[in-house]
Coordinates of all heavy atoms in Angstrom, one line a residue:
T1 N 17.8 -31.9 -89.9 CA 18.3 -30.7 -89.3 C 17.1 -29.8 -89.0 O 16.2 -29.6 -89.9 CB 19.3 -30.0 -90.2 OG1 20.4 -30.8 -90.4 CG2 19.8 -28.7 -89.7
L2 N 17.1 -29.2 -87.9 CA 16.0 -28.2 -87.5 C 16.1 -27.0 -88.5 O 17.2 -26.5 -88.7 CB 16.2 -27.8 -86.1 CG 15.1 -26.8 -85.6 CD1 13.7 -27.6 -85.5 CD2 15.4 -26.3 -84.2
S3 N 15.0 -26.6 -89.0 CA 15.0 -25.5 -90.0 C 13.7 -24.7 -89.8 O 12.8 -25.1 -89.1 CB 15.1 -26.0 -91.4 OG 14.0 -26.8 -91.8
R4 N 13.6 -23.5 -90.4 CA 12.5 -22.6 -90.3 C 11.1 -23.1 -90.4 O 10.3 -22.8 -89.6 CB 12.7 -21.4 -91.3 CG 11.8 -20.3 -91.0 CD 12.3 -19.4 -89.9 NE 11.2 -18.8 -89.2 CZ 11.3 -18.4 -88.0 NH1 12.4 -18.5 -87.3 NH2 10.3 -17.9 -87.3
P5 N 10.8 -24.1 -91.3 CA 9.4 -24.6 -91.4 C 8.9 -25.3 -90.1 O 7.7 -25.4 -89.9 CB 9.5 -25.5 -92.5 CG 10.6 -25.1 -93.4 CD 11.6 -24.6 -92.4
Y6 N 9.8 -25.7 -89.3 CA 9.4 -26.4 -88.0 C 9.3 -25.5 -86.8 O 8.9 -25.9 -85.7 CB 10.5 -27.5 -87.7 CG 10.6 -28.5 -88.9 CD1 11.7 -28.5 -89.7 CD2 9.6 -29.4 -89.1 CE1 11.8 -29.3 -90.8 CE2 9.7 -30.3 -90.2 CZ 10.8 -30.3 -91.0 OH 10.9 -31.1 -92.1
I7 N 9.7 -24.2 -87.0 CA 9.7 -23.3 -85.8 C 8.3 -22.8 -85.5 O 7.6 -22.5 -86.4 CB 10.7 -22.1 -86.2 CG1 12.1 -22.6 -86.4 CG2 10.6 -21.0 -85.1 CD1 12.7 -23.3 -85.2
G8 N 8.0 -22.7 -84.2 CA 6.7 -22.3 -83.8 C 5.6 -23.3 -84.0 O 4.4 -22.9 -84.0
C9 N 5.9 -24.5 -84.2 CA 5.0 -25.6 -84.5 C 5.1 -26.8 -83.6 O 6.2 -27.0 -83.0 CB 5.2 -26.1 -86.0 SG 4.9 -24.9 -87.3
V10 N 4.1 -27.6 -83.5 CA 4.1 -28.9 -82.9 C 4.4 -29.9 -84.0 O 3.6 -30.0 -84.9 CB 2.9 -29.2 -82.1 CG1 2.9 -30.6 -81.6 CG2 2.6 -28.2 -81.0
N11 N 5.5 -30.5 -83.9 CA 6.0 -31.5 -85.0 C 5.9 -32.9 -84.4 O 6.3 -33.1 -83.3 CB 7.4 -31.2 -85.4 CG 7.6 -29.7 -85.8 OD1 7.2 -29.4 -87.0 ND2 8.0 -28.9 -84.9
R12 N 5.3 -33.8 -85.2 CA 5.0 -35.1 -84.7 C 5.8 -36.1 -85.6 O 5.8 -36.0 -86.8 CB 3.5 -35.5 -84.8 CG 3.1 -36.8 -84.4 CD 1.6 -37.0 -84.4 NE 1.3 -38.4 -84.4 CZ 0.9 -39.1 -85.4 NH1 0.9 -38.6 -86.6 NH2 0.6 -40.4 -85.3
S13 N 6.5 -37.1 -84.9 CA 7.2 -38.1 -85.6 C 6.5 -39.5 -85.3 O 6.3 -39.8 -84.1 CB 8.6 -38.2 -85.1 OG 9.2 -39.4 -85.6
S14 N 6.1 -40.2 -86.3 CA 5.5 -41.5 -86.1 C 6.4 -42.6 -86.7 O 6.0 -43.6 -87.1 CB 4.1 -41.5 -86.8 OG 4.2 -41.2 -88.1
A15 N 7.7 -42.2 -86.8 CA 8.7 -43.2 -87.4 C 8.8 -44.4 -86.6 O 8.6 -44.5 -85.4 CB 10.0 -42.5 -87.5
V16 N 9.1 -45.5 -87.3 CA 9.3 -46.8 -86.6 C 10.8 -47.1 -86.5 O 11.2 -48.1 -85.8 CB 8.6 -48.0 -87.4 CG1 7.1 -47.8 -87.3 CG2 9.0 -48.1 -88.8
S17 N 11.6 -46.3 -87.1 CA 13.1 -46.4 -87.0 C 13.6 -45.2 -86.4 O 13.2 -44.1 -86.7 CB 13.8 -46.6 -88.4 OG 13.4 -47.9 -88.9
G18 N 14.6 -45.3 -85.5 CA 15.2 -44.2 -84.9 C 15.9 -43.2 -85.9 O 16.3 -43.6 -87.0
W19 N 15.9 -41.9 -85.6 CA 16.5 -40.9 -86.4 C 17.1 -39.8 -85.6 O 16.8 -39.8 -84.4 CB 15.5 -40.4 -87.5 CG 14.3 -39.8 -87.0 CD1 13.1 -40.4 -86.6 CD2 14.0 -38.4 -86.7 NE1 12.2 -39.5 -86.2 CE2 12.7 -38.3 -86.3 CE3 14.7 -37.2 -86.9 CZ2 12.1 -37.0 -85.9 CZ3 14.1 -36.0 -86.6 CH2 12.9 -35.9 -86.1
T20 N 17.9 -39.0 -86.2 CA 18.6 -37.9 -85.5 C 18.2 -36.5 -86.0 O 18.1 -36.3 -87.2 CB 20.1 -38.1 -85.6 OG1 20.5 -39.3 -85.1 CG2 20.9 -37.0 -84.9
L21 N 17.9 -35.6 -85.0 CA 17.6 -34.2 -85.3 C 18.8 -33.4 -84.9 O 19.2 -33.5 -83.8 CB 16.4 -33.8 -84.5 CG 16.0 -32.3 -84.6 CD1 15.6 -32.0 -86.1 CD2 14.9 -31.9 -83.7
T22 N 19.4 -32.7 -85.9 CA 20.5 -31.9 -85.6 C 20.1 -30.4 -85.5 O 19.3 -29.9 -86.3 CB 21.5 -32.0 -86.8 OG1 21.9 -33.4 -86.9 CG2 22.8 -31.2 -86.5
L23 N 20.7 -29.8 -84.4 CA 20.4 -28.4 -84.2 C 21.5 -27.6 -84.8 O 22.7 -27.8 -84.5 CB 20.3 -28.1 -82.7 CG 19.3 -29.0 -81.9 CD1 19.3 -28.7 -80.5 CD2 17.9 -28.8 -82.5
P24 N 21.2 -26.7 -85.8 CA 22.3 -26.0 -86.5 C 22.9 -24.9 -85.8 O 22.3 -24.2 -85.0 CB 21.5 -25.5 -87.8 CG 20.2 -25.2 -87.3 CD 19.9 -26.3 -86.2
Q25 N 24.2 -24.6 -86.2 CA 24.8 -23.4 -85.7 C 24.3 -22.2 -86.6 O 23.7 -22.4 -87.6 CB 26.3 -23.5 -85.9 CG 26.8 -23.6 -87.3 CD 28.3 -23.6 -87.3 OE1 29.0 -23.2 -86.4 NE2 28.9 -24.2 -88.4
D26 N 24.5 -21.0 -86.1 CA 24.0 -19.8 -86.7 C 24.4 -19.7 -88.2 O 23.7 -19.3 -89.0 CB 24.3 -18.6 -85.9 CG 23.5 -18.5 -84.6 OD1 22.7 -19.3 -84.4 OD2 23.9 -17.6 -83.8
S27 N 25.7 -20.0 -88.5 CA 26.2 -19.8 -89.8 C 25.5 -20.8 -90.8 O 25.6 -20.5 -92.0 CB 27.7 -19.9 -89.9 OG 28.1 -21.2 -89.5
D28 N 25.0 -21.9 -90.3 CA 24.3 -22.8 -91.2 C 22.8 -22.5 -91.4 O 22.2 -22.9 -92.4 CB 24.4 -24.3 -90.6 CG 25.8 -24.8 -90.7 OD1 26.6 -24.3 -91.5 OD2 26.1 -25.7 -89.9
D29 N 22.2 -21.8 -90.5 CA 20.8 -21.4 -90.6 C 20.6 -20.1 -89.9 O 20.4 -20.1 -88.6 CB 19.8 -22.5 -90.1 CG 18.4 -22.2 -90.5 OD1 18.0 -21.0 -90.7 OD2 17.6 -23.1 -90.6
T30 N 20.6 -19.0 -90.6 CA 20.4 -17.7 -89.9 C 18.9 -17.3 -89.6 O 18.7 -16.3 -89.0 CB 21.0 -16.6 -90.8 OG1 20.4 -16.5 -92.0 CG2 22.5 -16.8 -90.9
S31 N 18.0 -18.2 -90.1 CA 16.6 -17.8 -90.0 C 16.0 -18.2 -88.6 O 15.0 -17.8 -88.2 CB 15.8 -18.5 -91.0 OG 15.7 -19.9 -90.8
I32 N 16.8 -19.0 -87.8 CA 16.3 -19.4 -86.5 C 16.9 -18.4 -85.5 O 18.1 -18.2 -85.4 CB 16.8 -20.8 -86.1 CG1 16.2 -21.8 -87.1 CG2 16.3 -21.2 -84.7 CD1 16.7 -23.3 -86.9
K33 N 16.0 -17.6 -84.8 CA 16.4 -16.5 -84.0 C 16.3 -16.9 -82.5 O 15.6 -17.8 -82.1 CB 15.5 -15.3 -84.2 CG 15.4 -14.9 -85.7 CD 16.7 -14.4 -86.2 CE 16.6 -13.9 -87.6 NZ 17.9 -13.8 -88.3
V34 N 17.0 -16.2 -81.6 CA 16.9 -16.4 -80.2 C 15.4 -16.2 -79.8 O 14.8 -15.3 -80.2 CB 17.8 -15.4 -79.4 CG1 17.6 -15.5 -77.9 CG2 19.3 -15.7 -79.7
G35 N 14.9 -17.2 -79.0 CA 13.5 -17.2 -78.6 C 12.6 -18.0 -79.4 O 11.5 -18.4 -79.0
D36 N 13.1 -18.4 -80.6 CA 12.3 -19.4 -81.5 C 12.2 -20.7 -80.8 O 13.2 -21.1 -80.1 CB 12.9 -19.5 -82.8 CG 12.6 -18.3 -83.8 OD1 11.8 -17.5 -83.4 OD2 13.3 -18.3 -84.8
W37 N 11.2 -21.5 -81.0 CA 11.0 -22.8 -80.4 C 10.3 -23.7 -81.4 O 9.7 -23.3 -82.4 CB 10.1 -22.7 -79.1 CG 8.7 -22.1 -79.4 CD1 8.4 -20.8 -79.4 CD2 7.6 -22.8 -79.8 NE1 7.1 -20.6 -79.7 CE2 6.5 -21.9 -80.0 CE3 7.3 -24.2 -80.1 CZ2 5.2 -22.2 -80.4 CZ3 6.0 -24.5 -80.5 CH2 5.0 -23.5 -80.6
A38 N 10.4 -25.0 -81.1 CA 9.7 -26.0 -81.9 C 9.5 -27.2 -80.9 O 10.3 -27.6 -80.1 CB 10.6 -26.5 -83.0
D39 N 8.2 -27.7 -80.9 CA 7.9 -28.9 -80.1 C 8.1 -30.1 -81.0 O 7.8 -30.1 -82.2 CB 6.5 -28.8 -79.6 CG 6.3 -27.8 -78.5 OD1 7.3 -27.3 -78.0 OD2 5.1 -27.5 -78.1
L40 N 8.5 -31.2 -80.4 CA 8.6 -32.5 -81.0 C 7.9 -33.5 -80.2 O 8.2 -33.7 -79.0 CB 10.1 -32.9 -81.2 CG 10.3 -34.3 -81.9 CD1 9.6 -34.4 -83.2 CD2 11.8 -34.5 -82.0
I41 N 6.9 -34.2 -80.8 CA 6.2 -35.3 -80.1 C 6.5 -36.6 -80.9 O 6.4 -36.6 -82.1 CB 4.7 -35.1 -80.2 CG1 4.3 -33.8 -79.3 CG2 3.9 -36.3 -79.6 CD1 2.9 -33.4 -79.4
V42 N 7.0 -37.6 -80.2 CA 7.3 -38.9 -80.8 C 6.2 -39.9 -80.5 O 6.0 -40.3 -79.3 CB 8.7 -39.4 -80.3 CG1 9.0 -40.8 -80.9 CG2 9.7 -38.4 -80.6
S43 N 5.4 -40.2 -81.5 CA 4.3 -41.2 -81.3 C 4.6 -42.5 -82.0 O 3.8 -43.4 -81.8 CB 3.0 -40.5 -81.9 OG 3.1 -40.3 -83.2
G44 N 5.7 -42.6 -82.7 CA 6.0 -43.9 -83.3 C 6.8 -44.8 -82.3 O 6.9 -44.5 -81.1
S45 N 7.3 -45.8 -82.8 CA 8.0 -46.8 -81.9 C 9.5 -46.5 -81.8 O 10.3 -47.3 -81.3 CB 7.8 -48.2 -82.4 OG 8.2 -48.4 -83.7
A46 N 10.0 -45.4 -82.4 CA 11.4 -45.1 -82.4 C 11.7 -44.0 -81.5 O 10.9 -43.1 -81.2 CB 11.8 -44.7 -83.8
T47 N 13.0 -44.0 -81.0 CA 13.5 -42.9 -80.2 C 14.2 -41.9 -81.2 O 14.9 -42.3 -82.1 CB 14.6 -43.4 -79.2 OG1 13.9 -44.3 -78.3 CG2 15.2 -42.3 -78.5
V48 N 14.0 -40.6 -80.9 CA 14.7 -39.6 -81.7 C 15.8 -39.1 -80.9 O 15.7 -38.7 -79.7 CB 13.7 -38.5 -82.1 CG1 14.4 -37.3 -82.8 CG2 12.5 -39.0 -82.9
T49 N 17.0 -39.1 -81.5 CA 18.2 -38.5 -80.9 C 18.4 -37.1 -81.3 O 18.2 -36.8 -82.5 CB 19.4 -39.4 -81.3 OG1 19.2 -40.7 -80.9 CG2 20.7 -38.8 -80.6
I50 N 18.7 -36.2 -80.4 CA 18.9 -34.8 -80.7 C 20.4 -34.5 -80.5 O 21.0 -34.8 -79.4 CB 18.1 -33.9 -79.8 CG1 16.6 -34.3 -80.0 CG2 18.3 -32.4 -80.2 CD1 15.6 -33.6 -79.1
T51 N 21.0 -33.9 -81.5 CA 22.4 -33.5 -81.4 C 22.7 -32.1 -81.8 O 21.9 -31.5 -82.6 CB 23.3 -34.4 -82.3 OG1 23.0 -34.2 -83.7 CG2 23.2 -35.9 -82.0
A52 N 23.7 -31.5 -81.4 CA 24.1 -30.2 -81.8 C 25.1 -30.3 -82.9 O 26.0 -31.1 -82.9 CB 24.8 -29.4 -80.6
G53 N 24.8 -29.5 -84.0 CA 25.7 -29.5 -85.1 C 27.0 -28.9 -84.7 O 27.2 -28.2 -83.7
T54 N 28.0 -28.9 -85.6 CA 29.3 -28.3 -85.4 C 29.1 -26.8 -85.1 O 28.4 -26.1 -85.8 CB 30.2 -28.5 -86.6 OG1 30.3 -29.9 -86.9 CG2 31.6 -27.9 -86.4
G55 N 29.6 -26.4 -84.0 CA 29.5 -25.0 -83.6 C 28.3 -24.6 -82.8 O 28.2 -23.5 -82.3
A56 N 27.4 -25.5 -82.6 CA 26.2 -25.3 -81.8 C 26.3 -26.0 -80.5 O 27.1 -27.0 -80.3 CB 24.9 -25.8 -82.5
T57 N 25.5 -25.6 -79.5 CA 25.5 -26.2 -78.1 C 24.1 -26.6 -77.8 O 23.2 -25.8 -78.0 CB 26.0 -25.1 -77.1 OG1 27.4 -24.7 -77.5 CG2 26.0 -25.7 -75.7
L58 N 24.0 -27.8 -77.2 CA 22.7 -28.3 -76.8 C 22.8 -28.5 -75.3 O 23.7 -29.1 -74.7 CB 22.5 -29.7 -77.4 CG 21.2 -30.4 -77.2 CD1 20.9 -31.4 -78.3 CD2 21.1 -31.0 -75.8
N59 N 21.8 -27.9 -74.6 CA 21.7 -28.0 -73.1 C 20.3 -28.7 -72.9 O 19.3 -28.3 -73.4 CB 21.7 -26.7 -72.4 CG 23.0 -26.0 -72.6 OD1 24.0 -26.5 -72.2 ND2 23.0 -24.8 -73.1
G60 N 20.3 -29.8 -72.1 CA 19.1 -30.5 -71.8 C 19.1 -31.9 -72.4 O 20.1 -32.5 -72.6
A61 N 17.9 -32.3 -72.7 CA 17.6 -33.7 -73.2 C 18.3 -33.9 -74.5 O 18.4 -33.0 -75.4 CB 16.1 -33.9 -73.4
T62 N 18.9 -35.1 -74.7 CA 19.5 -35.5 -76.0 C 18.7 -36.6 -76.7 O 19.2 -37.1 -77.8 CB 20.9 -36.0 -75.7 OG1 20.9 -37.1 -74.8 CG2 21.8 -34.8 -75.2
S63 N 17.6 -37.0 -76.2 CA 16.7 -37.9 -76.9 C 15.3 -37.8 -76.5 O 15.0 -37.2 -75.4 CB 17.2 -39.4 -76.7 OG 17.0 -39.7 -75.3
V64 N 14.4 -38.2 -77.4 CA 13.0 -38.2 -77.1 C 12.5 -39.7 -77.2 O 12.5 -40.2 -78.4 CB 12.2 -37.3 -78.0 CG1 10.7 -37.2 -77.6 CG2 12.8 -35.9 -78.1
P65 N 12.0 -40.3 -76.2 CA 11.5 -41.7 -76.3 C 10.1 -41.7 -76.9 O 9.4 -40.7 -77.1 CB 11.5 -42.1 -74.8 CG 11.2 -40.9 -74.1 CD 11.9 -39.8 -74.8
T66 N 9.7 -43.0 -77.2 CA 8.4 -43.2 -77.7 C 7.4 -42.6 -76.7 O 7.5 -42.7 -75.5 CB 8.1 -44.7 -77.8 OG1 9.0 -45.2 -78.7 CG2 6.7 -45.0 -78.3
N67 N 6.4 -41.9 -77.3 CA 5.3 -41.2 -76.5 C 5.9 -40.0 -75.7 O 5.3 -39.6 -74.7 CB 4.5 -42.1 -75.6 CG 3.8 -43.2 -76.5 OD1 3.2 -42.9 -77.5 ND2 3.9 -44.4 -76.0
G68 N 7.0 -39.5 -76.1 CA 7.7 -38.4 -75.4 C 7.4 -37.1 -76.1 O 7.1 -37.1 -77.3
R69 N 7.7 -36.0 -75.4 CA 7.6 -34.7 -76.0 C 8.7 -33.8 -75.4 O 9.0 -33.8 -74.3 CB 6.2 -34.1 -75.7 CG 6.1 -32.7 -76.2 CD 4.7 -32.1 -75.8 NE 4.6 -30.7 -76.3 CZ 3.5 -30.0 -76.4 NH1 2.4 -30.6 -76.0 NH2 3.5 -28.8 -76.8
V70 N 9.3 -32.9 -76.3 CA 10.2 -31.9 -75.9 C 9.9 -30.6 -76.6 O 9.3 -30.6 -77.6 CB 11.7 -32.3 -76.1 CG1 12.1 -33.5 -75.3 CG2 12.0 -32.5 -77.6
R71 N 10.4 -29.5 -76.0 CA 10.4 -28.2 -76.6 C 11.8 -27.8 -76.8 O 12.6 -27.9 -75.9 CB 9.6 -27.2 -75.8 CG 9.8 -25.8 -76.5 CD 8.8 -24.8 -76.0 NE 7.5 -25.1 -76.6 CZ 6.5 -24.3 -76.4 NH1 6.5 -23.2 -75.7 NH2 5.3 -24.6 -77.0
I72 N 12.2 -27.5 -78.0 CA 13.5 -27.0 -78.4 C 13.4 -25.5 -78.5 O 12.6 -25.0 -79.3 CB 13.9 -27.6 -79.7 CG1 13.9 -29.2 -79.6 CG2 15.3 -27.1 -80.1 CD1 13.9 -29.9 -81.0
T73 N 14.2 -24.8 -77.7 CA 14.2 -23.3 -77.7 C 15.6 -22.8 -77.9 O 16.6 -23.3 -77.3 CB 13.7 -22.8 -76.3 OG1 12.4 -23.4 -76.1 CG2 13.6 -21.3 -76.4
K74 N 15.8 -21.9 -78.9 CA 17.1 -21.3 -79.0 C 17.2 -20.2 -78.0 O 16.4 -19.2 -78.0 CB 17.2 -20.7 -80.4 CG 18.6 -20.1 -80.7 CD 18.8 -19.8 -82.2 CE 20.2 -19.4 -82.4 NZ 20.4 -19.1 -83.9
V75 N 18.1 -20.3 -77.1 CA 18.3 -19.4 -76.0 C 19.4 -18.3 -76.1 O 19.3 -17.3 -75.5 CB 18.4 -20.2 -74.6 CG1 17.2 -21.0 -74.3 CG2 19.7 -21.1 -74.7
L76 N 20.4 -18.6 -76.9 CA 21.5 -17.7 -77.2 C 22.0 -18.0 -78.6 O 21.6 -19.0 -79.2 CB 22.6 -17.9 -76.2 CG 22.4 -17.6 -74.8 CD1 23.5 -18.2 -73.9 CD2 22.3 -16.1 -74.5
A77 N 22.8 -17.2 -79.1 CA 23.5 -17.5 -80.4 C 24.1 -18.9 -80.3 O 24.8 -19.2 -79.4 CB 24.5 -16.5 -80.7
N78 N 23.8 -19.7 -81.3 CA 24.3 -21.1 -81.4 C 24.0 -22.0 -80.2 O 24.6 -23.0 -80.0 CB 25.9 -21.1 -81.5 CG 26.3 -20.4 -82.8 OD1 25.8 -20.7 -83.9 ND2 27.2 -19.4 -82.7
T79 N 23.0 -21.6 -79.4 CA 22.7 -22.4 -78.2 C 21.2 -22.7 -78.1 O 20.4 -21.8 -78.2 CB 23.2 -21.6 -76.9 OG1 24.6 -21.3 -77.1 CG2 23.0 -22.5 -75.7
Y80 N 20.9 -24.0 -77.8 CA 19.6 -24.5 -77.7 C 19.4 -25.1 -76.3 O 20.3 -25.8 -75.8 CB 19.3 -25.5 -78.7 CG 19.4 -25.0 -80.1 CD1 20.6 -24.9 -80.8 CD2 18.3 -24.5 -80.8 CE1 20.8 -24.5 -82.1 CE2 18.4 -24.0 -82.1 CZ 19.6 -24.0 -82.7 OH 19.8 -23.5 -84.0
F81 N 18.1 -25.0 -75.8 CA 17.7 -25.7 -74.6 C 16.7 -26.7 -75.1 O 15.7 -26.3 -75.8 CB 17.2 -24.8 -73.5 CG 16.7 -25.6 -72.3 CD1 17.6 -26.1 -71.4 CD2 15.4 -25.9 -72.1 CE1 17.2 -26.9 -70.3 CE2 15.0 -26.7 -71.0 CZ 15.9 -27.2 -70.1
V82 N 16.8 -28.0 -74.6 CA 15.8 -29.0 -75.0 C 15.3 -29.6 -73.7 O 16.0 -30.1 -72.9 CB 16.5 -30.1 -75.8 CG1 15.5 -31.2 -76.2 CG2 17.1 -29.5 -77.1
G83 N 14.0 -29.5 -73.5 CA 13.3 -30.0 -72.3 C 11.9 -30.1 -72.4 O 11.2 -29.7 -73.3

């Protein structure tokens, strides 16, 4: 689950097995504010799947392939853009 320590950072995954990053709704994590962002770079051999938690909305990419990069930005309450 995306949380405050990952905000405003470039985060790198070198995992060899796929995993899922969940974007939380506001009631699950009030520390992520509108305008906050996190970059994710996948340098391992696994694809990372991105999902919206219950009550959250994801607009944009739903996965990051090997050697891919996305920026996750909270654009509205409970709403993220991934691209």
Side-chain angles (χ1 to χ4, degrees):
T1 300
L2 184 67
S3 60
R4 189 80 213 157
Y6 302 103
I7 298 300
C9 298
V10 176
N11 304 280
R12 182 176 162 260
S13 171
S14 57
V16 294
S17 291
W19 58 277
T20 299
L21 175 65
T22 302
L23 306 179
Q25 66 177 339
D26 291 352
S27 63
D28 290 338
D29 190 337
T30 59
S31 69
I32 302 174
K33 307 296 183 197
V34 171
D36 283 348
W37 60 270
D39 284 351
L40 176 60
I41 296 173
V42 177
S43 60
S45 58
T47 295
V48 176
T49 301
I50 303 173
T51 63
T54 301
T57 301
L58 183 160
N59 296 304
T62 57
S63 66
V64 187
T66 300
N67 298 317
R69 176 182 179 165
V70 295
R71 173 163 285 186
I72 301 161
T73 306
K74 186 169 186 179
V75 294
L76 295 168
N78 297 309
T79 306
Y80 299 85
F81 178 78
V82 180

